[in-house]
Amino acid sequence: MRIKFENCTLFDGVSDEAKPGMHVLVAEGQVAEVSETEISAEADRVIDGTGHTLMPGLIDAHVHIAAATPNLAALEAMHPTYVAHWTARNLGEMLDRGFTTVRDVGGGDAGTKRAQAEGMIRGSRISTSGKALGQTGGHTDFRGTSRADVGDMQRRHLPSLGRIVDGVPACLQAARDELRLGADFVKIMANGGVATPTDPIDWIQFTPEEIQAIVTVAEAACTYVAAHTYTAKAIEHACVNGVRTLEHCNLIDDRVAGILKDRGAYAVPTLVIYDCLDRHADAIGLGGDNRVKNRKVREAGLNSLQILQKAGTKMGFGTDLLGWMNQHQSDEFALRTQVLPNADVLKSATSVNAEILRRPDLGHVSEGATADLILVEGDPLSDITCLLGQGEHIPLIVQDGAVVKDHL
């Protein structure tokens, strides 16, 4: 299908400013032409973009598409078929909010990715790590102090987000296994977590040798490793041992932000999850040490963005939401723009995230790019609220050159 957009304001995903009065032609799944003057080529559909901004489809680089509940310990006991149906609905709702692509960092699998790619599921395009790798007592271990047997946690078909591995041989095998099962990259848990019961935030997880082994496997497979990290010490530990993307990074400092910049690593902050967990702690049963841990990282979130910005570290855009909290996905924009320019936040969710995914065809509007486009009522460069909510101000979405949402 050939689609022609006329008289729209264009944010190309790379520039700091949008250009008014632009014309864009989509053909054969790609952006075929971008022009300041009217495009003469014929089209099956012509869309008047007056009063709208045309921009790249959004990318969320830190999601858990199969986390059907905020209670991750309870998730392991959920029926896999239920979780599969919930995942399909979740992906469709993400697409309606303008996210044409997501990077799943624990829980998604090759089957869901294939179903979306073949059109069985209407939803965001998926890049996935499969199950995240974590050590005993780490951020994939929900047994607490009362369970001893790992049991079903290692069974592939269960809807848990991770698996437990210890020692270099086990790390090598697990990384290779996730790649065999269709993972696009490997995710590890290199620091304590908010949701897990026995690992304080300050805990460093995995030895240098274990991380290096996993990185070796990933690089041999022409891909990379992402790591869950909060503290400056954990971020440095993961980065210097070869990890490419550092997730969360709430407790980073100036020196370690500089290390990420020098090594060409990416930070993927995820502020909205901690805001949601704090506001809804009672409803989801987040109490005691877990609530204290959450408040510690939440209070440092905005400052971490400023530290990363000052260092010149590239920042991706992530949300990390769980269960019904996914309805707040776009609130990440509102949080970030409290301390960062709108243009920088939008680039994080488009061109920078495309770099993280190693998809140079995504995240920008230029000739030859894959035609993932959203048409937005208003101008998000001056008023970010037009991206909030459930996509009410995004009447048209194009994915791979096909219209997948049409409320014009």
Side-chain angles (χ1 to χ4, degrees):
M1 183 176 186
R2 296 167 66 87
I3 308 169
K4 189 160 54 176
F5 294 90
E6 297 184 335
N7 305 311
C8 58
T9 297
L10 178 65
F11 171 66
D12 63 7
V14 179
S15 306
D16 290 330
E17 297 179 354
K19 294 182 178 180
M22 296 294 290
H23 305 262
V24 175
L25 176 66
V26 171
E28 298 181 355
Q30 294 185 325
V31 177
E33 188 174 350
V34 178
S35 177
E36 296 180 355
T37 60
E38 186 174 343
I39 295 172
S40 60
E42 294 294 321
D44 301 296
R45 182 173 181 182
V46 178
I47 295 171
D48 182 4
T50 303
H52 294 73
T53 298
L54 185 69
M55 60 180 287
L58 302 171
I59 303 171
D60 190 333
H62 192 116
V63 301
H64 296 286
I65 60 173
T69 171
N71 186 337
L72 297 183
L75 179 64
E76 294 175 1
M78 282 187 166
H79 196 286
T81 306
Y82 173 83
V83 173
H85 287 294
W86 186 92
T87 300
R89 186 184 69 180
N90 187 32
L91 286 167
E93 291 172 348
M94 288 180 172
L95 181 62
D96 283 337
R97 290 189 283 268
F99 290 92
T100 53
T101 305
V102 295
R103 185 180 69 146
D104 182 90
V105 287
D109 61 19
T112 307
K113 177 182 175 181
R114 178 180 175 183
Q116 188 280 330
E118 294 182 359
M120 297 180 190
I121 295 174
R122 177 188 174 275
S124 309
R125 179 190 297 106
I126 303 163
S127 174
T128 181
S129 69
K131 290 191 185 297
L133 311 184
Q135 69 175 44
T136 294
H139 195 45
T140 59
D141 192 339
F142 289 90
R143 292 176 295 170
T145 58
S146 60
R147 287 171 55 195
D149 184 16
V150 173
D152 283 349
M153 292 181 68
Q154 296 296 308
R155 290 168 59 194
R156 177 69 201 175
H157 70 274
L158 287 181
S160 59
L161 303 189
R163 57 196 290 182
I164 299 171
V165 292
D166 294 296
V168 168
C171 287
L172 288 169
Q173 191 276 333
R176 288 169 178 159
D177 196 40
E178 288 303 322
L179 292 168
R180 174 189 69 83
L181 289 163
D184 299 294
F185 61 100
V186 181
K187 165 77 178 300
I188 67 171
M189 303 300 194
N191 207 176
V194 168
T196 33
T198 58
D199 57 338
I201 290 295
D202 295 337
W203 273 24
I204 304 296
Q205 299 180 10
F206 285 128
T207 65
E209 294 78 14
E210 288 172 320
I211 295 176
Q212 290 166 18
I214 294 167
V215 169
T216 298
V217 170
E219 291 182 347
C222 302
T223 189
Y224 66 93
V225 176
H228 162 96
T229 53
Y230 288 126
T231 67
K233 186 176 181 181
I235 296 165
E236 181 178 10
H237 176 66
C239 183
V240 301
N241 285 299
V243 171
R244 179 171 175 262
T245 73
L246 291 309
E247 313 299 308
H248 315 304
C249 296
N250 299 56
L251 303 173
I252 198 167
D253 60 26
D254 293 323
R255 184 184 67 83
V256 174
I259 291 174
L260 268 60
K261 168 67 164 55
D262 293 342
R263 288 179 170 263
Y266 295 81
V268 185
T270 58
L271 304 190
V272 68
I273 178 59
Y274 312 109
D275 185 65
C276 283
L277 288 174
D278 189 64
R279 287 189 290 120
H280 303 291
D282 291 336
I284 63 174
L286 186 75
D289 291 341
N290 298 91
R291 187 178 297 203
V292 172
K293 288 192 288 185
N294 184 67
R295 286 182 174 170
K296 179 178 181 179
V297 295
R298 176 179 177 269
E299 290 168 2
L302 291 175
N303 186 53
S304 71
L305 299 185
Q306 294 172 303
I307 290 172
L308 291 162
Q309 180 89 336
K310 178 183 176 182
T313 306
K314 287 193 173 183
M315 272 186 282
F317 179 101
T319 56
D320 196 24
L321 293 164
L322 308 168
W324 53 265
M325 293 180 180
N326 278 281
Q327 66 185 301
H328 298 295
Q329 184 177 27
S330 299
D331 290 349
E332 183 77 18
F333 289 108
L335 289 170
R336 292 189 182 214
T337 52
Q338 292 180 39
V339 295
L340 298 177
N342 287 19
D344 288 350
V345 177
L346 293 175
K347 285 187 284 187
S348 289
T350 52
S351 57
V352 176
N353 273 355
E355 290 179 19
I356 289 173
L357 269 62
R358 294 180 170 177
R359 288 289 303 264
D361 59 312
L362 299 178
H364 60 100
V365 183
S366 60
E367 293 179 9
T370 293
D372 277 16
L373 304 166
I374 63 174
L375 191 66
V376 183
E377 295 173 349
D379 177 14
L381 282 167
S382 59
D383 181 8
I384 204 69
T385 61
C386 59
L387 292 180
L388 305 188
Q390 307 309 308
E392 294 89 346
H393 299 290
I394 306 175
L396 189 87
I397 298 175
V398 175
Q399 185 184 48
D400 281 320
V403 175
V404 291
K405 176 182 176 181
D406 189 357
H407 291 178
L408 285 177

